Amino acid sequence: MLEKLKEEVFLANLELPKQGLVKYTWGNASAIDRESGLFVIKPSGVDYETMQPSDMVVIDLEGNVVEGTLNPSSDTATHAVLYKHYQEIGGIVHTHSTWATIWAQSGLDLPALGTTHADTFYGAVPCARFLTQEEIDRGYEAETGKVIIETFEERGLDILAIPGVLLHGHGPFTWGKDAKSAVMNSVVLDEVAKMNLFTRELNHFSKELPQRILDKHYLRKHGKNAYYGQK
Amino acid sequence: MLEKLKEEVFLANLELPKQGLVKYTWGNASAIDRESGLFVIKPSGVDYETMQPSDMVVIDLEGNVVEGTLNPSSDTATHAVLYKHYQEIGGIVHTHSTWATIWAQSGLDLPALGTTHADTFYGAVPCARFLTQEEIDRGYEAETGKVIIETFEERGLDILAIPGVLLHGHGPFTWGKDAKSAVMNSVVLDEVAKMNLFTRELNHFSKELPQRILDKHYLRKHGKNAYYGQK
Amino acid sequence: MLEKLKEEVFLANLELPKQGLVKYTWGNASAIDRESGLFVIKPSGVDYETMQPSDMVVIDLEGNVVEGTLNPSSDTATHAVLYKHYQEIGGIVHTHSTWATIWAQSGLDLPALGTTHADTFYGAVPCARFLTQEEIDRGYEAETGKVIIETFEERGLDILAIPGVLLHGHGPFTWGKDAKSAVMNSVVLDEVAKMNLFTRELNHFSKELPQRILDKHYLRKHGKNAYYGQK
Amino acid sequence: MLEKLKEEVFLANLELPKQGLVKYTWGNASAIDRESGLFVIKPSGVDYETMQPSDMVVIDLEGNVVEGTLNPSSDTATHAVLYKHYQEIGGIVHTHSTWATIWAQSGLDLPALGTTHADTFYGAVPCARFLTQEEIDRGYEAETGKVIIETFEERGLDILAIPGVLLHGHGPFTWGKDAKSAVMNSVVLDEVAKMNLFTRELNHFSKELPQRILDKHYLRKHGKNAYYGQK
């Protein structure tokens, strides 16, 4: 079942080490079929060199395995919670990519300092809080999804305008309309995290991008008046 | 039309990811044919793996498409303004290369701290100011070109002696006698931006290169007494 | 003798430059056959491009060459001391990998600042002291092994829960159940060293990972309740 | 003439971009035949992708071209001065490698902070002063060689024990018994420069390697009691 989606998810997972975002089996990509309400995710800890599209695992929105002989990614419940809450998300990626993880470890929101950021993220990428002991006991991965939702709701953020989050002490999650765009958003997030760290090191007083430039760059690529790319 | 120039511009665009200066479709290279007053630029947001020389778009100096079925780069108007104002420029490149963009985000001129810089740039590479809301409304890309011209004129800089600029909060533009040399100047600019950032981190009191060394290095490679390379 | 183990050790050594952990012949990997009490290690200073599995040298727990025509790694005595003292270790790797060596040169323990660290190391990776002149005179490499043991014993650390150490002014040693996992631990250690350095640069007040998150991540991958990967 | 040496110098030059030490045609390697008193150096500004062993230029100790149709490297006179003064040098390399150049731009000696340094350089790598206007007028490249000699003589340094120098505001020169070992010393110098910069950033109070460890590491690889590598 969902053979085409398995192929897409398989390719998205292979793209992660190719783009330098994951080493070994760290990281996972998934994508959902909204008609059936089922999503496809990579299996846990399987070597990328031998992994096949048919190794992908099919999961329902409660996080149960529907098809597949291998254990799904240990972060599956986080994906399930996000897909269930946000109908507009089609693909999700989790990595420990170097520079985004550095911001996550430092516990800081990633501010918009340049147009590379503004082309993809319409404002700062938030850093979500640590889970409490109670949340960890209740179910670490599902509760991680809930903390992401809490972060976006408390701050009134649009999940598609800011397609990513940093988990304090852990690393980034990104999402998009499909697995491929979620991967691309992970690439942008890591590059922007690198550039912003060194921008602040070079000039401790570097200011955030003026709102007018942020608007211009985000809106020339997104929304009804976008004019970047081909129709 | 301009088939040879399309091939050159195509190859110059492919060189950008190969040199590590762009990810995905970020960045654009162009070159002009001064006889016809037309320039060739890459199309907007087209995947580099499938792009062909015939996908390049031909543009006149007012920024109008003369030939091509694809939308040209969204930064086309910036290229047009620069080609029109500076007859001596034959090729232009825009990237979000990591280290040059870091300097652009920090809003600082890139000072000449070493001979790697002096071999290509005869002094500091200036950082141009943010556009005003009025300028953005009037036409973001064309006005960007005008702000570059303003920066060079206000400071009395020679466009060929300093073949590059940093746009505050955005990234670098470089140029040269053709597309290939504009790419090379982008490579040098990014490398120098990296070295100068860490030079200042290592020694906060690092001084600019003495004028006599700047002169010696720039002039052994450029001008009538140059003796670097083959005749 | 030990042909299969030689092949494993050979491949583990080749993996080191492939993972970017060693240049030229810096670094060495070994693995032990606990039945015979013999271990296999790479020869000293042999070019990785011409090295063969049959060039591996067989050593006993006193550090004597049992088989092989080439000189073993100059660090062989350190490996022997560790294998003799810790029955639970199956493979050992020594490198001068960039970021772990930077922490070693700075003389600081590597604190657990994130879950990438916690997935492999159950707490800070200790930095062992410099050897005294007397220890150097007695036998630099064997005494290095003894200082590693001293470090783990004085601090009451579990050798398998913290499968690595930093030698002050020198670089890292890592170990594991076999050569392959020792290599993997070297990769993790270097990546974590890089991320933690920049985490502290970005936010000088970055705190160590809360104990509850450290526990959760380490224990979902290790021990009887682990649920990461396939059975 | 000197066909074998041309092949060696050709390969040493190709190794520089392969090791990430040079971009485009920046950098040059040479080697000398002490019997004839002639050395071989790469031509100036020739593309590495089309360069052939037969393009190498043969030079005498006064810096005159003895054989070759192409212009030799613009730094040829520096090589000539060093070969003439130091009979024990067989190969010389000059690059603008990123991290060594950063130290050169900051005008600081590179201190010995670890054993990676001590395995190759028996103490700090000195930073030589800027040339005066008078020296530049007299002949920039030959005078650069003289300033290197001055640096080693004033400080009483052994040219083989410290096989490299940083030129203030410029970049490194390294040397060795042949072109291959001079390249290897450039690789070590750049890696050590990178590690030492970040060691000092991580811990501003990082101390130099104790003399006893410096002695041990240098002397287990060099001199009559060396025991590293194969006989």
Side-chain angles (χ1 to χ4, degrees), chain C residues 44 71 98 131 140-141 201, chain D residues 191 201 212 217 220 227 229:
Chain C
S44 181
N71 293 337
T98 307
L131 270 63
Y140 180 67
E141 293 81 7
E201 292 216 356
Chain D
E191 176 67 9
E201 292 216 356
R212 64 184 186 277
H217 269 264
R220 79 174 186 167
Y227 58 93

Side-chain angles (χ1 to χ4, degrees), chain B residues 33 44 54 60 65 69 80 124 126 130 132 140 173 181 184 205:
Chain B
D33 172 59
S44 181
S54 56
D60 69 21
V65 172
T69 54
F130 284 123
T132 64
Y140 180 67
F173 270 83
S181 67
M184 196 177 288
F205 305 100

Side-chain angles (χ1 to χ4, degrees), chain D:
Chain D
M1 62 195 292
L2 302 173
E3 300 307 320
K4 188 162 168 295
L5 199 63
K6 282 180 188 168
E7 177 76 19
E8 283 176 31
V9 169
F10 171 71
L11 292 174
N13 276 290
L14 291 191
E15 188 71 7
L16 298 176
K18 200 177 147 199
Q19 290 284 350
L21 298 184
V22 317
K23 292 174 189 286
Y24 294 112
T25 62
W26 311 348
N28 41 73
S30 72
I32 193 165
D33 172 59
R34 285 290 173 190
E35 273 194 47
S36 62
L38 300 174
F39 70 93
V40 169
I41 195 164
K42 97 179 225 300
S44 182
V46 170
D47 197 325
Y48 282 26
E49 287 178 24
T50 58
M51 196 168 66
Q52 298 297 323
S54 56
D55 293 333
M56 301 299 110
V57 187
V58 180
I59 309 284
D60 69 21
L61 285 174
E62 305 311 314
N64 303 306
V65 173
V66 173
E67 188 206 57
T69 54
L70 296 167
N71 293 337
S73 165
S74 54
D75 296 310
T76 296
T78 313
H79 293 242
V81 166
L82 292 175
Y83 282 129
K84 190 169 181 184
H85 191 84
Y86 295 112
Q87 291 296 318
E88 54 272 57
I89 292 179
I92 297 176
V93 165
H94 170 52
T95 77
H96 289 197
S97 72
T98 307
W99 303 99
T101 300
I102 286 164
W103 280 84
Q105 290 193 164
S106 71
L108 299 172
D109 294 355
L110 181 73
L113 299 183
T115 65
T116 315
H117 185 120
D119 285 341
T120 298
F121 298 96
Y122 198 19
V125 177
C127 185
R129 66 171 173 80
F130 283 122
L131 269 64
T132 63
Q133 184 66 58
E134 196 177 32
E135 288 167 335
I136 293 170
D137 293 343
R138 208 183 298 144
Y140 181 66
E141 293 80 8
E143 294 294 320
T144 295
K146 289 184 192 168
V147 168
I148 294 172
I149 295 168
E150 171 198 301
T151 303
F152 275 70
E153 296 199 339
E154 277 191 358
R155 304 191 190 196
L157 299 175
D158 175 343
I159 200 80
L160 286 187
I162 309 283
V165 72
L166 304 168
L167 303 181
H168 195 174
H170 189 160
F173 269 83
T174 62
W175 43 82
K177 67 179 198 294
D178 53 24
K180 190 179 177 181
S181 66
V183 170
M184 195 177 289
N185 290 339
S186 281
V187 171
V188 173
L189 181 59
D190 200 62
E191 176 67 9
V192 169
K194 182 179 186 181
M195 296 200 300
N196 288 7
L197 184 156
F198 288 109
T199 298
R200 281 278 158 89
E201 292 216 356
L202 180 58
N203 182 353
H204 296 300
F205 305 100
S206 299
K207 295 210 181 89
E208 295 193 27
L209 197 65
Q211 186 65 38
R212 64 184 186 277
I213 311 283
L214 183 69
D215 289 344
K216 179 65 195 177
H217 269 264
Y218 187 77
L219 299 172
R220 79 174 186 167
K221 276 200 153 179
H222 304 267
K224 64 180 180 0
N225 295 320
Y227 58 93
Y228 181 89
Q230 306 300 326
K231 294 294 173 271

Side-chain angles (χ1 to χ4, degrees), chain C residues 164-185:
Chain C
V165 71
L166 304 168
L167 303 181
H168 196 173
H170 189 162
F173 269 82
T174 63
W175 44 82
K177 65 179 200 294
D178 52 23
K180 190 180 178 180
S181 65
V183 170
M184 196 177 288
N185 292 340

